[in-house]
Amino acid sequence: MTTTATATQQFMTTEQLLKDWQGHRNLTRRVIEAFPEKDLFEFSIGGMRPFAKMAVELITIGGPALKGIIENNSEAYNEEAFAPKTKEEILKKWDEETEVINHYFRQITEERFQETFNLFGQYEFPVYENVLYFIDNEIHHRAQGYVYLRALGIEPPFFWERF
Amino acid sequence: MTTTATATQQFMTTEQLLKDWQGHRNLTRRVIEAFPEKDLFEFSIGGMRPFAKMAVELITIGGPALKGIIENNSEAYNEEAFAPKTKEEILKKWDEETEVINHYFRQITEERFQETFNLFGQYEFPVYENVLYFIDNEIHHRAQGYVYLRALGIEPPFFWERF
């Protein structure tokens, strides 16, 4: 099979990607829950951020990015838009963003996923690459949360349990 | 837009997914390289495996899984098939598997990605879900390697640099 033939083959539908992402988000939610309140905001290894800061990063990327894509708005990324003081606040916002992501994601067409967009006025890539990046970034930081939990003597949720 | 309409929309081509995966594999290769030889095989946090063990897991999943899918072979997963003693051995095998992955991945058709296959005689899911899992699993373990490097006082490669 030539590369040209493969290039026209599709890997999965947008709905399958959304289900995969929301499965990851479910797991990340359980990782947030697994942290003791104090450690969520304070525990760190090797000068890295506490897990609460990573969770805030994830919350301020996904929904706002999809909204920007649909509204053709390249406004800058703003992590300060959300400054929670408790685990409960983080979890509440997490659940709100679940609906925001479903709402905007389902408005992105197959054609749009292949178009280049200057996300947050800074990340100029095809939309599908930016969406993959959101998920990869979430897996990346959540895995760092796994190490924090292990170092705290807490068993993290199973990586393969998503719903 | 209804869910039914969205379900027929495609997210990306198989070649785009392959490029994304090989980009991740390039980054993981640089993370392996960043470890001092001794720490690669011995350093650990919270009772987790050293990064060499995680790299061996990744090496013994990707290529062998794709070969199994193409050959319709549900032989069990065998992590013991590769027991390297040096970083050089791991990197050499890593590069060999790059070609194995390209070779078998490009033989999987759009239809096949949607079919269920009992991978390693144990993971019975649509092929595309298993392939996503390989990549997610790689990001997950590599991120744990990032924490190990930070704990060792070593700056890891940038997460967004793939090629």
Side-chain angles (χ1 to χ4, degrees):
Chain A
M1 184 173 293
T2 68
T3 305
T4 313
T6 320
T8 64
Q9 303 265 325
Q10 299 294 335
F11 181 72
M12 64 179 157
T13 67
T14 57
E15 197 63 28
Q16 288 169 337
L17 188 279
L18 179 59
K19 185 189 160 210
D20 179 70
W21 187 5
Q22 292 292 15
H24 276 299
R25 293 187 71 260
N26 257 319
L27 175 58
T28 307
R29 192 189 195 283
R30 288 205 297 280
V31 172
I32 297 168
E33 275 188 301
F35 273 85
E37 184 88 27
K38 188 175 150 59
D39 293 319
L40 180 60
F41 288 88
E42 294 178 12
F43 185 79
S44 153
I45 292 176
M48 296 174 70
R49 294 172 293 172
F51 195 60
K53 283 273 184 201
M54 299 184 192
V56 167
E57 179 187 306
L58 302 176
I59 285 170
T60 51
I61 288 178
L66 297 183
K67 188 168 184 283
I69 289 164
I70 286 301
E71 298 179 350
N72 265 306
N73 179 344
S74 281
E75 209 173 296
Y77 168 66
N78 181 11
E79 192 163 345
E80 266 97 74
F82 181 54
K85 297 268 181 292
T86 64
K87 193 205 284 193
E88 200 189 336
E89 275 180 84
I90 294 176
L91 293 174
K92 186 169 169 284
K93 183 76 171 162
W94 192 267
D95 294 337
E96 288 167 11
E97 292 304 305
T98 301
E99 298 315 312
V100 173
I101 287 170
N102 284 340
H103 175 73
Y104 288 107
F105 186 92
R106 290 199 170 113
Q107 296 178 50
I108 306 176
T109 61
E110 179 172 330
E111 293 70 30
R112 189 75 204 280
F113 277 117
Q114 295 296 325
E115 285 170 22
T116 296
F117 175 65
N118 193 17
L119 182 69
F120 295 129
Q122 192 178 353
Y123 306 100
E124 195 153 13
F125 299 103
V127 169
Y128 85 90
E129 282 191 19
N130 268 321
V131 171
L132 285 181
Y133 190 88
F134 307 154
I135 304 172
D136 296 347
N137 187 52
E138 173 160 350
I139 301 168
H140 178 72
H141 288 312
R142 184 183 61 212
Q144 298 173 335
Y146 269 68
V147 185
Y148 286 11
L149 287 174
R150 288 278 180 201
L152 289 163
I154 297 166
E155 175 117 16
F158 292 125
F159 179 64
W160 54 88
E161 277 186 11
R162 304 290 165 81
F163 286 100
Chain B
M1 183 172 296
T2 68
T3 306
T4 313
T6 321
T8 63
Q9 303 264 327
Q10 299 294 335
F11 182 71
M12 65 178 156
T13 67
T14 57
E15 196 64 28
Q16 288 170 337
L17 188 281
L18 179 59
K19 184 188 162 211
D20 179 69
W21 188 5
Q22 292 292 15
H24 276 299
R25 293 187 72 260
N26 256 321
L27 174 59
T28 307
R29 191 188 195 284
R30 287 205 298 279
V31 171
I32 298 167
E33 275 187 303
F35 273 86
E37 184 88 27
K38 187 174 153 60
D39 294 318
L40 180 61
F41 288 88
E42 294 177 13
F43 184 79
S44 154
I45 292 175
M48 297 175 71
R49 294 172 292 172
F51 195 61
K53 283 274 185 200
M54 300 185 191
V56 166
E57 178 187 305
L58 301 177
I59 285 170
T60 51
I61 288 179
L66 296 183
K67 187 167 184 284
I69 289 164
I70 285 300
E71 297 179 350
N72 265 306
N73 179 344
S74 281
E75 208 173 295
Y77 168 65
N78 181 11
E79 192 162 346
E80 266 97 74
F82 180 55
K85 297 269 181 294
T86 64
K87 192 204 287 194
E88 198 189 336
E89 274 180 86
I90 294 176
L91 292 173
K92 185 169 168 282
K93 184 76 172 162
W94 192 267
D95 294 338
E96 287 168 11
E97 291 304 306
T98 301
E99 297 314 313
V100 172
I101 287 170
N102 284 339
H103 176 74
Y104 287 107
F105 186 93
R106 290 198 170 115
Q107 295 178 51
I108 307 176
T109 61
E110 179 172 331
E111 293 72 29
R112 189 72 203 282
F113 276 116
Q114 295 296 324
E115 286 170 21
T116 295
F117 176 66
N118 192 18
L119 182 69
F120 295 130
Q122 191 177 353
Y123 306 100
E124 195 152 15
F125 299 103
V127 169
Y128 85 89
E129 282 192 17
N130 268 323
V131 170
L132 286 182
Y133 190 88
F134 308 154
I135 303 172
D136 296 347
N137 187 52
E138 173 160 349
I139 300 169
H140 179 72
H141 288 312
R142 183 184 60 213
Q144 298 173 334
Y146 270 67
V147 185
Y148 286 10
L149 287 174
R150 288 278 181 201
L152 288 163
I154 296 165
E155 174 115 20
F158 292 124
F159 179 65
W160 54 86
E161 276 187 13
R162 304 291 166 80
F163 286 100

